[in-house]
Amino acid sequence: LYVQFANCNWDIKLGKFFSPFGYEVIGAPNNFFYSHSYTMYNSEPFTMTGILGERRISQNRSVVLGVTAGWDTGFENNSGGSLITGMRHQPNEYVDIAITTSICDTGVRDSGSLNSFVAQLQLTDDVSYVLQKGSDSF
């Protein structure tokens, strides 16, 4: 359960929300394939509990900032919190780039960090290409 609201150039989520990391998402209709990658299951959080804000700083660029109780946890099962930072950039209508970072409590993985880079390229109306690179240290 989360509340989402917008104010000026801010879009804010407060509560338990889906993770902003990686290309694949929890909701099946938004995934091209039925199965998921190894990275989604073992290196990225599914959900986060806290506050996450995205601020649009120009027509095609925004920054992401948030504080959570950790990965895949509620308020009761954590050993600290996590800081989320990131940037999204769409240089033109065919390219979309997202870079996000989480530092600190990673839930059952103890503590560490995750860096996620996702580039989406629209090659034609029916063909797109996605490049995802993640690096973590637990």
Side-chain angles (χ1 to χ4, degrees), residues 18 23-36 40-41:
F18 290 131
Y23 176 72
E24 296 175 271
V25 295
I26 304 298
N30 296 328
N31 290 313
F32 183 77
F33 293 111
Y34 178 75
S35 62
H36 291 287
M40 181 181 177
Y41 282 119

Side-chain angles (χ1 to χ4, degrees), residues 6-83:
N7 182 7
C8 296
N9 291 327
W10 282 96
D11 182 15
I12 298 172
K13 292 179 185 174
L14 178 63
K16 187 165 187 163
F17 47 86
F18 290 131
S19 164
F21 293 93
Y23 176 72
E24 296 175 271
V25 295
I26 304 298
N30 296 328
N31 290 313
F32 183 77
F33 293 111
Y34 178 75
S35 62
H36 291 287
S37 68
Y38 181 78
T39 300
M40 181 181 177
Y41 282 119
N42 294 298
S43 299
E44 297 173 350
F46 290 129
T47 62
M48 301 181 125
T49 304
I51 185 168
L52 181 67
E54 184 169 354
R55 184 180 190 324
R56 183 162 302 279
I57 57 175
S58 71
Q59 179 69 19
N60 57 357
R61 189 173 296 149
S62 64
V63 293
V64 176
L65 183 62
V67 178
T68 70
W71 294 10
D72 301 321
T73 63
F75 291 108
E76 72 283 348
N77 296 325
N78 64 339
S79 60
S82 294
L83 173 67

